Amino acid sequence: MLERKSTPLLPGSTIGILGGGQLGRMMAIAGSNMGYRFIALDPTEDAPCGQVADQIVAAYNDREAARELARRSDVITYEFENVDAGVAAMLMDESYVPQGSELLYTTQHRLREKRAIEASGVRVAPYREIRSADELREAVAAFGTPCVLKTATGGYDGKGQWVIKNDSEIVEAYETLAKAGTELVLEQFIKFDKELSVIAARSTTGEIKTFPAAENIHVENILHLSIVPARIPEDIQREAEQLAARIAEGLGVAGLIAVELFWSEKDGLYVNELAPRPHNSGHYTMEACRTSQFEQHVRAICGLPLGDTSLLTPVVMVNVLGQHVEPLLERMAKPDEAAARHGAAPKVHLYGKKDAVHKRKMGHVNVLAESTDKALQYIEETTIWKV
């Protein structure tokens, strides 16, 4: 394994990215502004990142392509956690991968992830590993309904999950999710008041900084809005950021980690999930913070001092799905009277994906305003997100 660089990797160096989606694209744009070069490995021709950086078109488990990425890069990172962990481990022997493969291995599997969070001294929702329909029946009886059955690997945006509302669903839920061929985990349903997330950065030097907590609202299990400042008490904001920093330290993170949390006014904070990379709920940082999450990730993996994470303005990030693209483009072509009326500044980010498929993430808009209420009023008035 190649050891951590003793000196920072300065601009002019080449950063290789496993994955060529929108996160890689925005990372490459931020890092290119600093003077870094980028190359991505992705199986899709003209991938979002490939439009702004060099691209190797190959499968994620193509070891020869991964070796080519290593030969052409000074440091390698990844933009999503379902990268082949075996490839990441191989690259650690042949290149510099400061994030390593161990964290990837941990966060690719919900049971390993929950145990690692608990080992950091942070609370997760009560859970049980499920190996049979009988075990599921016993766990549902213990937790009560509703509760959530999940596959241990592979799920995102609500996929690989089943909310069990009554006992009659137990067998069907088990048989459906067991087809994935992976372990299952049942989680007790937390009656939360807010869903939150905190992006924490930990540099290869050990320096840690956190971004302000975002309040997240999902629609059909897909992130719809991130509201910052989150509408929570200040002490809860501080505690959420402290928990994220503790996890980043405990897991030895290099780069970013997104910590998703539930907050119950009655029971406090629980960690839900982790993502060891830039995150959808951190997109608000692109205009609203002194340093974006993407610049911060580059700084962290290259060993530069971390940037200031202070919030410059209230902001609401709203995701653009396939069905929102056409009305958004129509609105962009005309003077935006609603923005002027609400004192809002909508900043549009489209990812360069070819097909605007229903419910597929195609971009996002950061709505800057003097208050999150003003930003939300603007989003409501546009009617784009009612399509």
Side-chain angles (χ1 to χ4, degrees):
M1 184 177 97
L2 295 188
E3 297 296 327
R4 179 175 67 83
K5 303 290 184 181
S6 58
T7 58
L9 281 169
L10 296 175
S13 302
T14 298
I15 298 173
I17 306 176
L18 282 167
Q22 63 261 26
L23 299 177
R25 176 191 180 97
M26 290 181 276
M27 188 192 306
I29 291 171
S32 295
N33 288 338
M34 300 168 69
Y36 289 94
R37 295 176 180 271
F38 286 83
I39 180 168
L41 189 158
D42 194 279
T44 304
E45 289 191 18
D46 196 37
C49 187
Q51 295 168 19
V52 299
D54 290 339
Q55 182 184 347
I56 299 167
V57 180
Y60 295 125
N61 62 356
D62 185 328
R63 296 203 169 205
E64 187 50 46
R67 288 190 174 98
E68 181 185 350
L69 182 71
R71 286 193 296 269
R72 297 173 62 180
S73 305
D74 297 297
V75 60
I76 291 177
T77 185
Y78 43 81
E79 61 126 33
F80 72 115
E81 58 266 44
N82 289 326
V83 167
D84 187 293
V87 168
M90 179 202 77
L91 286 173
M92 287 180 66
D93 291 330
E94 303 186 16
S95 185
Y96 177 46
V97 189
Q99 290 159 285
S101 62
E102 186 174 342
L103 181 59
L104 196 63
Y105 175 80
T106 298
T107 56
Q108 282 179 340
H109 193 284
R110 284 194 170 95
L111 284 166
R112 290 195 293 262
E113 179 178 274
K114 289 177 183 299
R115 291 163 185 155
I117 294 168
E118 290 176 318
S120 296
V122 178
R123 187 169 59 160
V124 298
Y127 67 94
R128 286 192 189 179
E129 182 177 0
I130 302 299
R131 302 180 187 85
S132 67
D134 286 340
E135 283 192 359
L136 179 57
R137 190 173 286 107
E138 292 174 9
V140 170
F143 287 163
T145 54
C147 51
V148 187
L149 184 67
K150 298 180 179 180
T151 57
T153 62
Y156 66 97
D157 288 346
K159 297 177 176 63
Q161 300 186 17
W162 188 302
V163 178
I164 298 174
K165 301 182 180 68
N166 54 66
D167 290 353
S168 66
E169 299 179 50
I170 289 174
V171 173
E172 184 181 4
Y174 177 80
E175 291 180 349
T176 300
L177 294 192
K179 291 176 183 177
T182 182
E183 296 97 327
L184 302 179
V185 57
L186 185 73
E187 297 176 3
Q188 184 173 323
F189 192 83
I190 299 296
K191 294 180 180 178
F192 57 85
D193 295 293
K194 302 284 185 183
E195 286 188 76
L196 307 173
S197 60
V198 176
I199 310 295
R202 184 174 182 270
S203 172
T204 55
T205 66
E207 182 186 10
I208 295 176
K209 287 193 177 181
T210 57
F211 287 93
E215 173 189 344
N216 299 319
I217 296 174
H218 292 76
V219 175
E220 296 181 5
N221 294 310
I222 301 173
L223 181 62
H224 175 45
L225 301 173
S226 290
I227 301 167
V228 187
R231 296 170 296 184
I232 56 176
E234 287 186 14
D235 61 325
I236 300 301
Q237 163 105 8
R238 287 193 299 272
E239 183 182 354
E241 293 177 20
Q242 289 165 0
L243 291 181
R246 190 184 308 167
I247 289 171
E249 180 67 31
L251 272 61
V253 170
L256 297 188
I257 189 160
V259 180
E260 300 178 47
L261 308 107
F262 296 131
W263 175 61
S264 161
E265 189 170 359
K266 176 184 176 184
D267 298 320
L269 289 167
Y270 293 87
V271 171
N272 179 30
E273 291 183 346
L274 306 178
R277 52 167 171 77
H279 194 258
N280 194 172
S281 67
H283 292 350
Y284 78 87
T285 63
M286 295 173 75
E287 283 89 15
C289 291
R290 289 184 180 273
T291 306
S292 76
Q293 67 165 340
F294 299 103
E295 178 186 337
Q296 195 78 305
H297 183 74
V298 170
R299 287 179 167 276
I301 63 171
C302 291
L304 299 180
L306 297 180
D308 185 352
T309 58
S310 300
L311 190 69
L312 297 171
T313 173
V315 59
V316 176
M317 188 285 299
V318 54
N319 266 328
V320 176
L321 306 183
Q323 63 268 32
H324 306 137
V325 172
E326 186 175 340
L328 174 64
L329 293 177
E330 289 176 359
R331 189 170 191 88
M332 289 178 69
K334 304 173 184 176
D336 197 335
E337 295 177 359
R341 188 162 51 255
H342 292 289
K347 303 295 184 179
V348 176
H349 298 268
L350 294 175
Y351 303 150
K353 295 181 179 178
K354 183 178 178 182
D355 299 315
V357 177
H358 188 75
K359 293 188 179 180
R360 185 188 190 195
K361 291 176 184 174
M362 302 297 293
H364 69 273
V365 181
N366 286 333
V367 181
L368 315 179
E370 65 180 20
S371 69
T372 55
D373 285 344
K374 290 284 188 184
L376 289 166
Q377 288 165 14
Y378 167 79
I379 292 167
E380 178 74 14
E381 186 173 328
T382 66
T383 70
I384 292 168
W385 289 275
K386 293 184 178 179
V387 174

